[in-house]
């Protein structure tokens, strides 16, 4: 592993290992109130390796695969109670789903791909408000 030196002005950052499988798409599994909701595949643009929206990847709603759903359920098992929402990001390799990151603060939940998920989120939020 190479040492990483960041300028002092950098507050919080996230570093991920580069996964060659990213070229076939990063899978983003959205979980709402402990239930797997939907999944988006983010495939980098030709000649690009990043799937962030700024680099114009192809984003597509896909059915949640069982390995991706299992990874999301496993991530949930680390919480004492299910968070309101969670996004589990990973890639599929020859050994299965590999977790890249797990986000519980301000992730994109891709409601524009799955409008019903916005209603599930609203209901879950209201239920937690009492």
């Amino acid at each position: 592993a190479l040492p990483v030196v960041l300028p002092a002005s950098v507050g919080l950052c996230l570093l991920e290992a580069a996964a060659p499988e990213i070229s076939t798409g990063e899978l983003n599994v959205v979980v709402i109130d402990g239930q797997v909701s939907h999944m988006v595949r983010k495939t980098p643009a030709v000649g690009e390796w990043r799937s962030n929206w700024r680099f114009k990847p192809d984003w597509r709603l896909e059915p949640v695969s069982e390995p991706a759903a299992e990874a999301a359920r496993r991530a949930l098992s680390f919480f004492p109670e299910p968070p309101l929402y969670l996004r589990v990001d990973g890639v599929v390799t020859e050994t299965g789903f590999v977790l890249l990151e797990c986000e519980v603060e301000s992730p994109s939940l891709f409601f524009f791909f799955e409008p019903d998920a916005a209603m599930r989120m609203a209901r879950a939020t209201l239920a937690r408000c009492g």
Side-chain angles (χ1 to χ4, degrees):
L2 298 173
V4 176
V5 179
L6 298 173
S9 63
V10 174
L12 179 66
C13 67
L14 170 74
L15 300 174
E16 296 183 356
E21 292 84 2
I22 202 85
S23 65
T24 61
E26 173 183 330
L27 302 177
N28 298 161
V29 183
V30 176
V31 177
I32 299 173
D33 203 27
Q35 300 297 311
V36 174
S37 174
H38 56 283
M39 182 177 83
V40 169
R41 179 182 297 268
K42 298 189 315 190
T43 305
V46 174
E48 184 56 67
W49 56 272
R50 295 165 286 196
S51 61
N52 182 286
W53 64 268
R54 285 177 271 172
F55 303 102
K56 299 181 172 61
D58 178 50
W59 290 7
R60 294 184 189 268
L61 182 69
E62 288 190 4
V64 181
S65 66
E66 186 50 40
E70 180 55 34
R73 288 189 291 269
R74 188 158 184 228
L76 279 169
S77 74
F78 288 94
F79 292 88
E81 61 184 63
L84 177 60
Y85 60 86
L86 169 72
R87 197 178 86 201
V88 177
D89 300 351
V91 292
V92 176
T93 70
E94 60 187 32
T95 60
F97 187 93
V98 174
L99 179 70
L100 294 177
E101 63 184 292
C102 184
E103 298 184 64
V104 293
E105 185 174 318
S106 302
S108 172
L109 300 177
F110 308 110
F111 292 145
F112 48 88
F113 285 109
E114 184 68 25
D116 291 343
M119 286 304 294
R120 288 192 294 274
M121 179 71 157
R123 284 189 204 100
T125 301
L126 289 172
R128 287 179 182 226
C129 290

